[in-house]
Structures are given as C-alpha cells and as structure tokens.
Amino acid sequence: MVVDKGDVFVISAPSGAGKTTIINKFMETHKNDFMLSVSVTTRPARTGEKHGTHYYFFSKEKFLEYIKKGKFIEYAKIINEYYGTLKETVKSSTASGRNLIMDIDVQGAKKIKKQIKKCVTVFMMPPSFEELTDRLTKRKTDSPEAVKKRLALAKKEMKQSGKYDFVIVNRDIDETVGLLEAILKLTKFKKYKV
Ligand code: 5GP
C-alpha cells in the first residue's frame, strides 16, 4: 500500500452502517501495513467477541482508574458505556512500523485529530436512514430500546460528518473497500503536494 508507515486513519460510522465488515475486509489484504486499534470498553461483550481481539472489556471501576492514570489518548461515553483508546496502542503501532486504523466515534475522532497531525478521518454513511434502521433491528444484538438510542445517536453523528476529511457511503462492500484504498492513496499524494 502506498502510504507512509506510522499514519493514523480514523473511521467513524453510526452503529449498523457496516463499518466492522468493511474494516475486516480491508484488513484481509492489508494486515502487513495496518494494525487495527483494539479499544477498551465497559459494555458487555456480544456473542463471539473476544477480550483482546475485538475490545478489552473493562469494569467501569477499572476504566475510571485508567482515566485517572492518564492511560487513554481519548475516551468517550456513548449511551452509558465508556469507550477509549490506550496511549499504549498508538505507541505499539508506531513501534511496529505499521499504520493504525481506529474505529472510534465522532467525539473520539475530534480528540485524535487535535493530537495526531498525521491523521486522516473518514466518515462512513449507511445507504439510507431506513436501511440503517432495518440493519440495527435485524441484527438483534440490542434491545428495541437500545436500537432507538443508537438511531437517535446515528442522526446526531451523521450531522457532524462534514467535519471529517472524507465522507463515503457504504452501498457495497467491495466498492467501499476500494474507496478506502483510494483515500489512502490520495492522502499520500496530498502529502507530496508543495
Ligand atoms: P459498539 O458498541 O457498536 O462496538 O461501538 C459503539 C461505538 O463506539 C462505535 O461508534 C465505535 O466506533 C465507538 N468506539 C469504539 N471504540 C472506541 C474508542 O476507543 N473511542 C471512542 N471514542 N469510540 C469508540
């Protein structure tokens, strides 16, 4: 991949927009150059999620202790649960010579943009709000009440998409992965402009 090592790419999307599928597909062919940031969360693990692979699952007490100790480069409270990126994670990706992909929310993206200059932010939109509603309802990982909250949050987040460097619409897996690759190439191109 023609990007510099040690860059940070932030990808945000409303829950249910298909971000995890896209990132996993992207990582299939780019794992030599990219490392996926594993966040810490206080939310319970969903079926199939593993500690250390999908998230580090912490108790609220432990999370708050880590905040106090200044261990997070950013963290946010999203629908009553905490999510955060450890400074250590960013350090280890730089040390491994790979680029880091961060799957974080709008609040986190803003904080990372302020702290890491070599950072490109991408917002992934669902094809439509109706489709997002449909996906969240069918996935059955959240209660109807939680789905309602996620949809309200999605609306708020989508309104802030203009603050990102790039906005893409996830209509088709291969197309979206292609768009992501194009953005990474463009970014490299941008850096060489004088
Ligand atoms: P989920 O509970 O569906 O896994 O994630 C909910 C939201 O938390 C998603 O928008 C995801 O991008 C965001 N998120 C995951 N990890 C982090 C993190 O470390 N920091 C921030 N700010 N948001 C995160």
Side-chain angles (χ1 to χ4, degrees):
M1 176 56 86
V2 284
V3 289
D4 285 344
K5 307 276 182 184
D7 284 348
V8 171
F9 296 96
V10 170
I11 304 180
S12 300
S15 189
K19 184 177 45 176
T20 309
T21 310
I22 296 299
I23 292 177
N24 288 344
K25 177 95 182 167
F26 176 85
M27 288 303 287
E28 274 175 22
T29 41
H30 299 291
K31 50 177 174 285
N32 290 338
D33 298 323
F34 288 85
M35 191 180 130
L36 189 54
S37 171
V38 178
S39 297
V40 178
T41 185
T42 59
R43 82 147 163 77
R46 295 184 185 131
T47 313
E49 283 184 335
K50 284 196 188 108
H51 180 82
T53 303
H54 301 95
Y55 279 107
Y56 297 109
F57 296 99
F58 275 23
S59 65
K60 281 211 170 107
E61 291 71 29
K62 191 169 175 187
F63 198 102
L64 295 174
E65 190 189 311
Y66 267 50
I67 294 176
K68 255 195 206 157
K69 287 183 177 162
K71 287 187 179 283
F72 293 110
I73 185 164
E74 66 75 34
Y75 69 90
K77 199 173 185 187
I78 309 167
I79 318 181
N80 293 328
E81 301 289 355
Y82 288 99
Y83 294 80
T85 310
L86 294 168
K87 286 178 183 166
E88 196 53 46
T89 303
V90 181
K91 253 196 219 161
S92 67
S93 85
T94 311
S96 75
R98 284 182 291 172
N99 303 291
L100 188 66
I101 297 200
M102 282 184 186
D103 164 357
I104 59 176
D105 84 324
V106 173
Q107 308 170 66
K110 222 193 263 174
K111 290 176 194 162
I112 292 296
K113 190 89 185 159
K114 268 193 195 150
Q115 295 179 75
I116 302 177
K117 279 208 184 95
K118 283 167 76 181
C119 157
V120 175
T121 56
V122 179
F123 192 93
M124 194 182 293
M125 288 277 194
S128 68
F129 199 72
E130 287 68 34
E131 196 152 332
L132 186 72
T133 310
D134 202 44
R135 282 190 201 171
L136 279 178
T137 312
K138 280 190 184 143
R139 126 176 142 174
K140 292 199 167 105
T141 49
D142 294 299
S143 64
E145 196 49 42
V147 168
K148 240 185 181 174
K149 282 186 185 164
R150 285 197 187 274
L151 285 171
L153 180 64
K155 246 185 203 161
K156 249 166 104 182
E157 290 190 328
M158 283 156 74
K159 276 188 190 151
Q160 294 191 57
S161 60
K163 293 179 185 152
Y164 281 69
D165 296 322
F166 297 92
V167 179
I168 56 179
V169 180
N170 182 23
R171 290 194 188 88
D172 167 87
I173 299 176
D174 291 332
E175 183 196 62
T176 306
V177 170
L179 285 172
L180 216 51
E181 287 171 340
I183 286 171
L184 299 178
K185 286 177 189 165
L186 270 171
T187 307
K188 170 82 171 177
F189 180 74
K190 229 162 58 174
K191 274 191 218 130
Y192 280 90
K193 250 165 72 173
V194 273

